[in-house]
Amino acid sequence: MTSAHAEPLPASTAWYVPLARAIPAVALAIAITFSADHSARLGLVTLASFTLVAGTVILTSSLLSPHRGIVRTLSIAQGAVTLATAIAAFVATSGGQAYFVFLLTAFAAITGFIELYLGLRSRGRDASSRDWVFVGSLTALLALIVLLVPPAFSQPYTGPDGVDRELTASIVVVGLLGAYWAILGVYLVIAALSLKWSNKDYVAATAAVQQKED
């Protein structure tokens, strides 16, 4: 995501980290899209699955990162919160709509603002900053939109097949989560490829500078 005339920037995030987060996001977005069940239980199971993979990837890559400082510290915190969400969702998949909304909004608000803060403070210094800003903003926005859905929302409607159905808060929130994962997954695939190319450009530019100095 670096312009053609801009100086390549180092990236504190390996390109495979966003790719590893994208895979479960895309898979779960597809699963929700083709599932007739949009219950809170499905929401908790899919949330647990995503956060388990994403949290493991973020936490492991942060702990193994050679970089030190606030970026590594906050990334470790983000990974820990994400894994804690996975545990909380797995142990209470029958927790109901209120529990699902609480867990989802808490996860999205905390990790979203962490990632947004990392992106804003790293602008112009880290090739990952633009991706952090986008993903952080998208995740924080998810928390806000989910909170705006009335818990008792219920809207009867007639489907295309003429069958009477009911649109509930659970269906809306799970649908929003699926849409979030679809957008997130596509963006992170692009981000991973961009980081891979950016890292190659940075290594090449650094090598050229060293050759000139020698």
Side-chain angles (χ1 to χ4, degrees), residues 184-209:
L184 180 69
V186 172
Y187 182 88
L188 287 177
V189 169
I190 298 172
L193 296 175
S194 180
L195 275 179
K196 187 175 183 179
W197 296 328
S198 176
N199 287 340
K200 287 182 178 179
D201 291 342
Y202 178 73
V203 170
T206 302
V209 170

Side-chain angles (χ1 to χ4, degrees), residues 6 32 61 80 144 161 178 199 201 212:
I32 287 178
S61 63
L144 178 60
D161 53 1
N199 287 340
D201 291 342
K212 288 181 180 180

Side-chain angles (χ1 to χ4, degrees), residues 16-32 45-58 82 177-178 180-186 188-189:
Y16 53 80
V17 173
L19 182 62
R21 295 172 67 187
I23 293 172
V26 172
L28 291 171
I30 294 173
I32 287 178
V45 169
T46 54
L47 178 63
S49 303
F50 173 77
T51 50
L52 177 63
V53 176
T56 301
V57 169
I58 295 171
T82 305
L177 184 56
Y180 162 77
W181 278 329
I183 298 171
L184 180 69
V186 172
L188 287 177
V189 169

